[in-house]
Amino acid sequence: MQTLFRIETDRVSVTWTGPDHPKEVIGNRVLVPGFLHVDLLRKGAPLTIWRSSSPPGSPPDLQTDLGPHLFESTDYEVYAHSPRNCPVRIHHRDPRIAQRLSPKGEGNVFGGPVNFRSEVGRSRFVVEVDGLDEVEFEVLVFPTKLDFEEDQEEILSDIQRESVGLALDWLRSTWRVGEALGTGTTTSELEWAILLRQVIADLESGLHHVAARPRRALVPERRMVEPHRVHRVDSVLRRELSRPLRGASGGQLSSGRVLPRLLREQRATTTLDTPEHRWLAAKVGGACQRMTRLLLAERKRQQENKRSTGVSVRSRQNVEELEVLAARLDLLTRLPPLAAADGPPPLGFSSLSLMTAEGYAGAARACVLLDLGLRIQEGSLELCTQGLDVLYETWAFLCIVKNVSLATGGTPMTDGLVELQADGLTVRPLRGRQAKVSIRTDRGTYLEVTRNPPYNQDHYTLVPQEPDIVITVQEPGWPAQCLVIDAKYRLDASPDHVKLLGLAGPPPDALNALYRYRDAILEAVPAGDNPLSTADRKRLEHVVVEAAAVFPLRPDPKTYESSRLWTSLKSFGVGAIPLLPGEDLWLKTWLRRALGRGGWSLADQALGHRSVRTRRQEMILAEEVAMIGVVPAENALERFAWYQKESRYYVPHGSNPRLLAVRWLALYMPGATGRGDVRWYARVKAHHVVRRTELATPWKSRLAPERLLVVYELDAFQALELPIVNTAGDRFGEYRWASGLSLRRARELPELSLETAAEWRLVELLRASNIDFQVRAADKGTLPTTSDGAAKVHFSDDRWVRYRHSGGFELIRLGGSTEGGLSPED
């Protein structure tokens, strides 16, 4: 510990000690000089300032604001000592700072430790000697992990682009400068309260000046006066004199005219009930009502916290400061000009007095400022911002939403992000602390990027889990798959940690939390034996495929690429990614690899994940033969009713060995326009061969009586989740072959030709790559036939792809050239 600066007067000496440049400062390019600004509050007192940044032997410099560099999350000590043995005290607005400062000895020494945690910016201290303010000094706190000018400004700019309220707070140990902008009404009670705290002094000054020198208006008033008190003769008075005299006489004119005892006169009088005063009264009265609602909300939230976690010192300070502001506003409403205002101002009212008159202009300017929005930039307002840990997490969420959209080619719907809920002085996204952004892609993928989603179901979560960010991917044909991202502002640069991981990174507890999220976040899913059905009992399965932490660092690319933080993401799906403004290449690379290649590729990265089971089921279904039977159009309803009742279906016996290997049976029902669909299916329990005469049916058969039939004994028919539609209106005259996989995945009739898992993998890769293609069974007139029974489908008019099982895929180009042995990725 060394002395960083010292401030001395004849009554007090203030000393600040601490490390000059802590070891925890990582990659911080300190371009801004250190800062120390001192104001002497007792006029005429001698003042001496010594800074550690001053050259040795140089005289105390009172003019410059240069000072030492102070950093976040660093322990300092500040002490005030009175050589005259007077009681001293150090004040700070933040009670968390003030609580750690206490008197020492006999009261002539006061101080203690100071740690700004993750809060950066300016911080003000006031030194009191013998009950009177002596010295006020401001220091500047720098971040240890970000560049003070570039990184921090860009993070704040990105957050403010969505909502400045997310970056602000009512009470912190540091503050930044900002200004009010004419962007419409303020978006939250927090912004309005911050503005009120800044302008209340100007509002009071202006209204007190108005109360001392009000501008009155003249209003006509009729009153009864004695004749000798009449000021002027007008038409009203002439009418009074022209009337016959009634009652006692009040005198006689020289002309002999007798005057009544009292005359009705119209006289102008002054009033404080002016349009200007009404406008000011309406503004101040509205501010009082808004402050009352805000104070009630903050008290209510304080009571709720008291029952659950207890009232924090900052929450108590918040209420006390709001109560002071409410009392000051209430006093302003009692000033005579505002109290005399009776009613609202005229519609569309404007006045030069409110713009130029002394007192009126200052009060009106303060009222107008309360209706503006805030912006954290160069200005004259003091704005408290959230700690860098909260700001970094918020910015990381916005950055991840943008990069997920880029990686998938989707369009984000940010309604759930920018819509905020204000609760007293707290501004947070809707649904508690959550924010959810939906992204849809052209290939049918649906993604959700959620901030702070709670996983706290009692029946399968032992300890509530709340990761920072969860990306949920819903690919067609796949269950939901999740990526977890934790934004960690803390860094561990200890030699042991760097030796283990290859570079500085998140601390061990943050990395271990990633494993916990991957194992502890579960989801209840159907547990039936029927792989085509989703309506069955539930069981728990893991849903997280990969988990990564993002942390603020600009590492050397080669060093990071070879570090365990990156290589572990590839090998077992847990790692960490550096992320700062302009440093998002590694995040983009990871998201493209994880999200840009379809559900099969994402499932390949899963360890013990339910996607592995789904893939295994798909492979099993691909080996199970499915028959698509036809229900004749002329008596379709009668036949289907018989199939359901008897749980049977039959086809003529033939030489195809598949006839005796059918595991699934689905029925094609013709439509009224010829475009039917496949929507009913059943599992085949058994089959046997009989003659047509041995099978009784309600309809007359066209087959020969001795014709052999294959009769399938079925389980009960079930409906497919989505029917397989004959969109092209192709003729469906006899049964067709498919597999259990194509029966489950197909949505259009031609897709039933894709019987194997490899073909469906190819379809997903083509869709993920935004390649246009068509799927339909091969036409012998356009595609060469094969003798090995390989499936034949084509994907465009000039290139065909067919799957030859052990021979892989074969690409056939127009003209007959072929290329074989290809994988889906090829």
Side-chain angles (χ1 to χ4, degrees):
M1 301 286 281
Q2 59 178 315
T3 300
L4 300 181
F5 65 85
R6 185 169 54 251
I7 304 169
E8 294 181 349
T9 70
D10 57 340
R11 300 176 61 187
V12 71
S13 173
V14 181
T15 304
W16 189 288
T17 61
D20 182 43
H21 198 273
K23 296 180 180 179
E24 290 75 14
V25 176
I26 301 171
N28 180 49
R29 295 171 293 160
V30 182
L31 303 178
V32 179
F35 177 83
L36 173 65
H37 179 78
V38 182
D39 284 329
L40 184 63
L41 303 180
R42 182 168 61 91
K43 302 303 180 183
L47 177 65
T48 302
I49 304 173
W50 179 88
R51 303 171 177 86
S52 61
S53 55
S54 303
S58 60
D61 190 355
L62 305 182
Q63 305 301 322
T64 180
D65 283 340
L66 293 177
H69 289 96
L70 305 183
F71 294 94
E72 58 166 329
S73 302
T74 304
D75 291 326
Y76 298 97
E77 289 187 354
V78 58
Y79 285 96
H81 169 255
S82 173
R84 299 185 180 182
N85 292 326
C86 298
V88 295
R89 191 173 186 88
I90 301 177
H91 296 282
H92 194 280
R93 180 171 175 249
D94 187 357
R96 290 189 181 181
I97 297 290
Q99 275 190 334
R100 303 186 69 184
L101 307 179
S102 59
K104 313 294 180 183
E106 298 180 358
N108 63 334
V109 178
F110 192 94
V114 174
N115 190 313
F116 296 98
R117 303 188 182 184
S118 61
E119 298 166 15
V120 300
R122 294 190 179 189
S123 188
R124 181 183 295 116
F125 295 80
V126 177
V127 182
E128 173 190 295
V129 180
D130 203 12
L132 298 176
D133 292 343
E134 179 82 3
V135 174
E136 177 183 276
F137 65 92
E138 290 180 9
V139 295
L140 183 60
V141 184
F142 290 81
T144 59
K145 308 171 187 69
L146 306 178
D147 178 76
F148 186 76
E149 288 183 315
E150 297 180 5
D151 294 341
Q152 191 179 4
E153 295 301 328
E154 190 163 346
I155 286 174
L156 286 172
S157 177
D158 289 346
I159 295 175
Q160 290 181 114
R161 197 173 294 122
E162 298 298 334
S163 172
V164 69
L166 289 175
L168 295 175
D169 202 353
W170 174 259
L171 177 59
R172 289 283 168 173
S173 60
T174 60
W175 50 272
R176 296 175 56 89
V177 294
E179 66 174 346
L181 300 177
T183 56
T185 58
T186 53
T187 58
S188 67
E189 298 296 310
L190 172 62
E191 294 178 63
W192 178 83
I194 291 174
L195 279 170
L196 177 63
R197 189 176 67 198
Q198 302 289 327
V199 305
I200 186 69
D202 293 337
L203 182 62
E204 288 175 327
S205 175
L207 290 180
H208 282 297
H209 190 281
V210 169
R213 301 176 182 84
R215 293 195 170 191
R216 292 178 167 86
L218 294 175
V219 294
E221 181 183 4
R222 293 184 179 182
R223 58 176 66 183
M224 304 300 293
V225 298
E226 296 175 351
H228 67 278
R229 296 185 181 277
V230 173
H231 286 186
R232 56 185 291 271
V233 178
D234 56 13
S235 58
V236 175
L237 186 60
R238 290 191 182 95
R239 284 196 297 271
E240 287 288 321
L241 294 175
S242 64
R243 295 172 181 169
L245 179 63
R246 295 179 181 178
S249 172
Q252 187 176 8
L253 295 176
S254 59
S255 61
R257 176 70 175 177
V258 179
L259 299 176
R261 189 175 63 85
L262 294 174
L263 293 174
R264 189 187 305 274
E265 181 188 29
Q266 183 170 290
R267 185 178 296 181
T269 60
T270 61
T271 180
L272 290 175
D273 186 14
T274 66
E276 290 80 7
H277 295 163
R278 288 188 176 191
W279 187 88
L280 291 172
K283 290 294 184 181
V284 176
C288 279
Q289 295 176 5
R290 193 168 184 178
M291 176 56 69
T292 300
R293 293 194 301 269
L294 176 59
L295 189 55
L296 290 175
E298 193 65 20
R299 284 171 176 165
K300 179 182 178 181
R301 193 163 64 88
Q302 189 182 73
Q303 291 298 321
E304 293 174 351
N305 293 339
K306 185 177 181 179
R307 289 191 294 268
S308 56
T309 60
V311 180
S312 66
V313 290
R314 278 183 173 173
S315 178
R316 192 177 297 110
Q317 178 81 2
N318 291 346
V319 173
E320 291 176 359
E321 291 188 356
L322 291 179
E323 288 175 342
V324 171
L325 288 175
R328 293 169 71 176
L329 286 174
D330 184 64
L331 289 176
L332 293 179
T333 61
R334 302 173 189 270
L335 293 175
L338 274 64
D342 184 15
L347 291 176
F349 169 72
S350 62
S351 170
L352 285 177
S353 296
L354 289 176
M355 298 167 55
T356 59
E358 187 176 2
Y360 288 88
R365 190 180 306 111
C367 292
V368 170
L369 281 175
L370 289 177
D371 291 332
L372 301 182
L374 286 175
R375 189 74 179 175
I376 304 172
Q377 57 187 36
E378 289 300 322
S380 59
L381 302 180
E382 296 180 6
L383 305 180
C384 293
T385 61
Q386 297 281 355
L388 278 182
D389 52 347
V390 178
L391 291 175
Y392 181 74
E393 181 181 334
T394 303
W395 173 81
F397 175 72
L398 299 175
C399 182
I400 288 167
V401 169
K402 178 182 71 174
N403 281 285
V404 168
S405 303
L406 293 175
T408 59
T411 302
M413 295 169 282
T414 58
D415 293 343
L417 172 66
V418 299
E419 189 177 3
L420 301 176
Q421 171 182 329
D423 178 13
L425 294 177
T426 301
V427 177
R428 58 177 182 257
L430 285 178
R431 308 173 198 85
R433 294 177 55 224
Q434 290 185 59
K436 182 182 295 184
V437 179
S438 302
I439 301 173
R440 292 188 181 276
T441 68
D442 293 337
R443 68 176 190 256
T445 304
Y446 176 76
L447 301 99
E448 283 184 350
V449 186
T450 310
R451 182 182 177 188
N452 301 127
Y455 296 91
N456 54 2
Q457 292 84 351
D458 294 338
H459 56 286
Y460 59 87
T461 302
L462 182 61
V463 178
Q465 306 295 323
E466 192 173 296
D468 291 341
I469 301 165
V470 173
I471 304 173
T472 305
V473 186
Q474 293 183 336
E475 291 273 5
W478 286 94
Q481 300 167 300
C482 296
L483 303 177
V484 166
I485 302 177
D486 251 15
K488 293 302 179 187
Y489 185 70
R490 294 181 297 135
L491 290 182
D492 189 341
S494 62
D496 291 341
H497 199 63
V498 172
K499 182 179 179 181
L500 176 66
L501 301 179
L503 77 165
D509 62 323
L511 296 176
N512 286 333
L514 301 176
Y515 289 94
R516 188 183 75 240
Y517 292 143
R518 192 175 68 176
D519 294 336
I521 296 177
L522 306 172
E523 187 172 296
V525 297
D529 296 330
N530 184 353
L532 291 178
S533 173
T534 59
D536 211 325
R537 66 185 187 277
K538 304 292 184 178
R539 72 171 169 222
L540 301 180
E541 290 185 342
H542 298 286
V543 297
V544 178
V545 178
E546 294 186 9
V550 293
F551 60 99
L553 190 68
R554 282 191 170 85
D556 176 72
K558 293 184 178 179
T559 302
Y560 174 70
E561 189 173 14
S562 61
S563 72
R564 295 186 63 192
L565 294 177
W566 178 248
T567 58
S568 63
L569 267 176
K570 294 182 178 180
S571 58
F572 53 87
V574 174
I577 301 170
L579 182 63
L580 276 174
E583 185 70 31
D584 58 354
L585 175 62
W586 299 105
L587 177 67
K588 290 179 179 178
T589 302
W590 177 61
L591 290 176
R592 280 198 300 265
R593 186 180 72 203
L595 303 177
R597 299 174 61 186
W600 282 99
S601 299
L602 189 56
D604 287 341
Q605 302 297 320
L607 300 177
H609 188 266
R610 65 179 183 178
S611 298
V612 176
R613 179 187 61 83
T614 301
R615 181 174 57 180
R616 185 169 58 249
Q617 273 191 350
E618 301 282 89
M619 302 300 291
I620 295 173
L621 284 171
E623 299 298 324
E624 295 180 345
V625 177
M627 173 186 286
I628 312 299
V630 183
V631 181
E634 62 268 20
N635 56 348
L637 295 179
E638 178 187 7
R639 287 178 179 259
F640 180 67
W642 186 84
Y643 299 149
Q644 281 187 311
K645 178 182 177 182
E646 299 293 331
S647 295
R648 287 182 176 185
Y649 184 80
Y650 67 93
V651 294
H653 191 284
S655 60
N656 194 325
R658 278 189 165 193
L659 286 171
L660 304 181
V662 176
R663 184 69 183 275
W664 300 96
L665 176 77
L667 295 179
Y668 175 81
M669 299 286 289
T673 60
R675 296 189 178 187
D677 59 32
V678 177
R679 67 175 64 221
W680 296 101
Y681 75 100
R683 184 191 293 268
V684 176
K685 296 190 297 183
H687 66 273
H688 51 272
V689 179
V690 301
R691 299 182 187 277
R692 181 62 184 90
T693 56
E694 299 173 12
L695 183 65
T697 59
W699 56 87
K700 185 177 180 180
S701 175
R702 298 179 181 178
L703 298 175
E706 298 301 314
R707 181 67 184 270
L708 294 179
L709 306 177
V710 180
V711 179
Y712 300 104
E713 303 293 340
L714 310 172
D715 283 335
F717 278 93
Q718 300 181 55
L720 290 169
E721 291 182 23
L722 291 174
I724 304 170
V725 184
N726 186 3
T727 55
D730 295 336
R731 183 177 178 275
F732 204 118
E734 59 182 5
Y735 63 83
R736 296 186 182 182
W737 295 112
S739 67
L741 177 60
S742 62
L743 184 61
R744 176 180 175 179
R745 284 181 167 267
R747 293 295 174 262
E748 295 181 1
L749 209 59
E751 293 178 346
L752 288 170
S753 302
L754 306 177
E755 298 182 35
T756 64
E759 290 171 301
W760 280 105
R761 187 184 186 103
L762 175 59
V763 167
E764 283 192 355
L765 286 170
L766 290 169
R767 287 172 177 166
S769 303
N770 294 320
I771 297 175
D772 292 331
F773 64 93
Q774 294 177 338
V775 180
R776 59 177 183 264
D779 185 350
K780 294 181 180 180
T782 58
L783 180 65
T785 61
T786 58
S787 59
D788 58 359
K792 297 175 287 294
V793 294
H794 72 271
F795 295 81
S796 67
D797 291 332
D798 60 347
R799 284 175 294 174
W800 293 261
V801 174
R802 62 183 174 189
Y803 185 53
R804 300 178 64 91
H805 297 280
S806 60
F809 282 92
E810 186 177 62
L811 174 66
I812 306 172
R813 295 181 176 87
L814 191 65
S817 62
T818 63
E819 183 178 358
L822 302 176
S823 68
E825 287 73 18
D826 295 335

